[in-house]
Amino acid sequence: MSEPPTESRDPPDPTAEPSLPQATSKQIQPQSLISAHSRNAGRGARPEKRKMDLDGGSSAKRSSSVGLEPVKASSTKPWPVFTISGSAPTQTAKPAPKVDSPAAVRRPRRLQARTVIQQCSQARVKIKPALDGADAQWAEIGEGMVVYVCFFHGATEDITHEIADSLMSTRLFRKDTRHLVSILDLPGSVLFVPQDSLVGEPVPKRRMQYKGGCELWWGAQLFSNLVSACMELMSASVKCTEADVKVEQGVYGQKQEIVLNSMEPLTLLLEF
């Protein structure tokens, strides 16, 4: 039998350069291989991490709604309206409750009187000048207070009792370093001086305006009622009777000369 013919092959030439295989597709760059490997690793190699990343992103998105899912609510507007399920309903501002206290309803009343109080160790006011060789007459007190007073237009007789009660019972004076006492507990005397200039108010061009005082005759009547009311309160005090203190007054509607000595400057303004 004859042997099958064999294919003759030439021996390789050792000096020839090896031929490279021709690429049948596009060559993949190394950087593309690395990126593809990273994406494949994120999808398949570590699914737990990808899930955590997704959960973290979704929680970040829900942080604005505090973990509540939005729910579409019915609305007549052309755009959808979303609300947060389980959230508290929107609270509208409620009007303030009405206060029935007298202080809230009470209107400020018109000013009827103004007084200035000065503490004194001794004070006197001239009530009659020296005439025809006769000496001048003075109304004077010892330790106590001097009260300058004026009345405004529209003042009533009732205001005099209110002023008298406040002046005689309010603790204005320091008897020692720890206690404040009223003029009745001091005890001390009171000198009333009418002072219509207390109605003055500043106006433009650096001037003072003296308007709003009551009529002269009515002011004199109110001043006399005030002095009488304070005398009654002082006469009812046992301390004042034993200390022989008194209430003196100047002359309403006249210029008066005043002399005042004080060991401690204490001046107060009270309005009624």
Side-chain angles (χ1 to χ4, degrees):
M1 295 179 63
S2 62
E3 297 180 359
T6 59
E7 184 180 357
S8 62
R9 297 180 181 179
D10 294 335
D13 188 0
T15 61
E17 294 181 358
S19 60
L20 296 176
Q22 296 181 358
T24 58
S25 61
K26 294 183 179 180
Q27 295 183 358
I28 302 176
Q29 299 297 329
Q31 185 67 27
S32 302
L33 292 173
I34 295 174
S35 301
H37 178 72
S38 301
R39 288 194 298 269
N40 294 334
R43 287 195 298 266
R46 301 181 63 182
E48 295 82 6
K49 182 177 180 181
R50 179 172 177 81
K51 184 178 180 181
M52 293 173 61
D53 295 340
L54 293 175
D55 294 340
S58 61
S59 62
K61 292 180 181 179
R62 292 196 304 266
S63 60
S64 60
S65 60
V66 199
L68 300 177
E69 296 296 336
V71 177
K72 184 176 179 180
S74 58
S75 174
T76 57
K77 299 179 180 179
W79 55 85
V81 179
F82 293 91
T83 59
I84 304 301
S85 60
S87 60
T90 305
Q91 296 182 358
T92 58
K94 297 180 179 180
K98 296 182 179 180
V99 181
D100 297 334
S101 60
V105 181
R106 185 188 308 163
R107 297 180 179 178
R109 64 180 184 180
R110 179 185 300 179
L111 187 63
Q112 299 189 52
R114 180 176 291 158
T115 62
V116 173
I117 302 170
Q118 284 187 322
Q119 183 179 4
C120 68
S121 56
Q122 184 180 5
R124 60 177 182 170
V125 58
K126 184 182 292 187
I127 57 177
K128 188 175 182 180
L131 294 174
D132 299 333
D135 296 336
Q137 296 182 6
W138 297 78
E140 56 183 313
I141 61 171
E143 183 182 10
M145 65 180 181
V146 178
V147 181
Y148 305 93
V149 58
C150 74
F151 296 96
F152 290 86
H153 181 75
T156 62
E157 189 175 357
D158 295 336
I159 199 64
T160 59
H161 300 283
E162 181 180 345
I163 297 174
D165 183 67
S166 297
L167 294 178
M168 306 301 286
S169 60
T170 304
R171 298 177 182 179
L172 304 174
F173 304 98
R174 186 182 298 107
K175 193 170 185 177
D176 52 41
T177 57
R178 294 176 297 175
H179 296 88
L180 292 175
V181 296
S182 65
I183 192 68
L184 296 178
D185 294 330
L186 187 59
S189 300
V190 182
L191 175 60
F192 283 96
V193 179
Q195 190 73 21
D196 288 340
S197 61
L198 291 179
V199 302
E201 294 182 356
V203 294
K205 298 183 179 180
R206 299 183 180 181
R207 295 182 298 110
M208 292 294 296
Q209 178 177 276
Y210 301 96
K211 290 184 178 180
C214 65
E215 297 83 351
L216 181 62
W217 66 272
W218 182 238
Q221 181 64 42
L222 295 177
F223 183 77
S224 178
N225 293 346
L226 174 60
V227 174
S228 299
C230 290
M231 286 182 175
E232 293 178 1
L233 293 174
M234 184 167 287
S235 61
S237 173
V238 178
K239 288 184 178 181
C240 294
T241 303
E242 294 177 351
D244 196 23
V245 293
K246 55 185 177 179
V247 177
E248 295 289 345
Q249 60 177 318
V251 180
Y252 194 91
Q254 293 184 6
K255 294 182 178 181
Q256 296 158 96
E257 182 180 348
I258 301 172
V259 179
L260 186 147
N261 296 328
S262 178
M263 299 298 295
E264 180 181 3
L266 173 64
T267 304
L268 301 173
L269 170 66
L270 299 180
E271 294 181 336
F272 302 90

